[in-house]
Amino acid sequence: MSLTKSERAIILAMWAKMATKMEEIGTETLHRLFCSFPQTKTYFPHFDLHAGSAQLRAHGAKVVAALGDAAKNIDNVSGALARLSEMHAYILRVDPVNFKLLSHCLLVTLATHFPADFTAEAHEAWDKFMSLVSSVLTEKYR
Amino acid sequence: MVHLTAEEKAAITGLWAKVNVEETGGEALGRLLVVYPWTQRFFDTFGNLSSPSAIMGNPKVKAHGKKVLTSFEDAIKNMDNLKDTFAKLSELHCDKLHVDPENFRLLGNVMVIVLASHFGKDFTPQVQAAWQKLVSGVATALSHKYH
């Protein structure tokens, strides 16, 4: 699976708009994940997961920054996320089903912040991009 | 069996009161067909589905979207008894329409995204969580009579 030219353009355009809100978007995405899908909290027993927690904000920023790396290297997402892919396979071992949940919550967050930009085409591009990122992050699982 | 608290039910009905069923239904179904093109397999008779704009503007998509969302209204009126509410529709989707229940989950999530884009900040994480429970409950109810 790879992104078409127009899908890449959509992702990069949205990314430019997200630039000033990255921590906010990451934090909100995680917050939505934990609210809607409480089972995902099992991966964070060591975190304070209350809204506004410093750990949540730091982790949200981290997640979005990694997605930014993928977006900037959209021709080679595998290469850009190689280290994270190993981490998820050997250390974090997050069950693959959770990548869909996180992806969904990111799309919900983008839809609330950028309703005019989150057209059907943008929705498709982002869903596909997150699907690509998810498969890269799980490709070393076994 | 979905269990919604009083607050969750209030969050759902509160939002629903402001939903334009016709437009939202068409948009949700349209987005399903755009984002997950394989779902077009059920709609051979719908005419032009050749591009996102063709799909979103297609009158049959809009009409069918309205039908689906109007039926969803039954869910909101019967949140404590989704299985019975959707029993007949479940049989229909299995026996006549042959729809893989995975599609109910996909459509439910697309609906959540459409609501998010319409309601912005008002679609808080807590409101989203209530809706996720409901769409999941509807998907389960619609799968209940499958055999």
Side-chain angles (χ1 to χ4, degrees), chain A residues 122-136:
Chain A
H123 182 168
E124 191 271 342
W126 275 91
D127 194 280
K128 192 170 167 184
F129 172 64
M130 290 307 290
S131 177
L132 175 62
V133 167
S134 302
S135 64
V136 165

Side-chain angles (χ1 to χ4, degrees), chain A residues 15-30:
Chain A
W15 207 268
K17 297 208 172 172
M18 285 163 71
T20 51
K21 288 175 140 197
M22 299 230 305
E23 185 187 281
E24 189 185 343
I25 287 169
T27 307
E28 186 178 326
T29 296
L30 289 176

Side-chain angles (χ1 to χ4, degrees), chain A residues 24 28 31-33 35-37 100 104-105 107-109 111-113 115-116 118-125 127-128, chain B residues 30-31 34-37 52-53 56 102 108-110 112-113 116-121 123-126 128-130 132:
Chain A
E24 189 185 343
E28 186 178 326
H31 188 46
R32 286 181 182 279
L33 180 72
C35 275
S36 281
F37 310 107
K100 278 195 176 168
H104 173 68
C105 289
L107 266 53
V108 169
T109 302
T112 60
H113 284 254
F118 205 71
T119 59
E121 288 98 324
H123 182 168
E124 191 271 342
D127 194 280
K128 192 170 167 184
Chain B
R31 280 178 183 252
V34 168
V35 180
Y36 309 108
S53 53
M56 299 310 284
E102 179 58 22
N109 278 336
V110 170
V112 165
I113 287 176
S117 72
H118 286 193
F119 292 100
K121 275 203 165 84
F123 199 69
T124 63
Q126 292 78 6
Q128 179 191 349
Q132 297 289 169

Side-chain angles (χ1 to χ4, degrees), chain A residues 11-84:
Chain A
I11 304 286
L12 292 174
M14 183 83 93
W15 207 268
K17 297 208 172 172
M18 285 163 71
T20 51
K21 288 175 140 197
M22 299 230 305
E23 185 187 281
E24 189 185 343
I25 287 169
T27 307
E28 186 178 326
T29 296
L30 289 176
H31 188 46
R32 286 181 182 279
L33 180 72
F34 299 138
C35 275
S36 281
F37 310 107
Q39 68 273 20
T40 56
K41 293 190 286 186
T42 56
Y43 291 97
F44 299 93
H46 52 300
F47 265 32
D48 166 14
L49 294 176
H50 290 104
S53 103
Q55 281 177 313
L56 199 61
R57 275 188 284 118
H59 200 68
K62 218 183 212 177
V63 169
V64 168
L67 292 175
D69 285 342
K72 278 183 224 122
N73 294 281
I74 213 154
D75 297 326
N76 183 15
V77 174
S78 231
L81 299 184
R83 186 190 61 87
L84 271 176

Side-chain angles (χ1 to χ4, degrees), chain B residues 1-143:
Chain B
M1 186 64 189
V2 69
H3 174 73
L4 292 154
T5 64
E7 288 102 333
E8 286 166 338
K9 288 182 185 177
I12 288 166
T13 53
L15 205 82
W16 189 256
K18 304 177 210 166
V19 165
N20 177 326
V21 171
E22 176 163 358
E23 269 179 30
T24 301
E27 189 172 346
L29 185 63
R31 280 178 183 252
L32 181 76
L33 300 173
V34 168
V35 180
Y36 309 108
W38 53 93
T39 58
Q40 294 169 23
R41 68 190 299 284
F42 301 108
F43 301 105
D44 277 341
T45 59
F46 272 30
N48 186 4
L49 299 178
S50 61
S51 69
S53 53
I55 291 169
M56 299 310 284
N58 183 309
K60 283 189 171 177
V61 170
K62 289 184 183 185
H64 197 70
K66 178 182 174 186
K67 196 181 198 180
V68 169
L69 216 71
T70 302
S71 160
F72 203 86
E73 192 138 41
D74 282 341
I76 299 194
K77 294 191 188 130
N78 294 281
M79 288 192 266
D80 291 326
N81 190 11
L82 295 175
K83 289 217 163 88
D84 287 342
T85 304
F86 286 100
K88 285 251 142 39
L89 272 177
S90 180
E91 284 172 11
L92 178 77
H93 281 76
C94 174
D95 299 332
K96 298 266 157 27
L97 303 177
H98 311 293
V99 175
D100 177 350
E102 179 58 22
N103 292 286
F104 308 142
R105 284 170 256 289
L106 289 180
L107 182 61
N109 278 336
V110 170
M111 264 182 66
V112 165
I113 287 176
V114 170
L115 293 175
S117 72
H118 286 193
F119 292 100
K121 275 203 165 84
D122 288 346
F123 199 69
T124 63
Q126 292 78 6
V127 170
Q128 179 191 349
W131 276 90
Q132 297 289 169
K133 273 188 172 178
L134 182 64
V135 298
S136 170
V138 171
T140 301
L142 278 172
S143 326

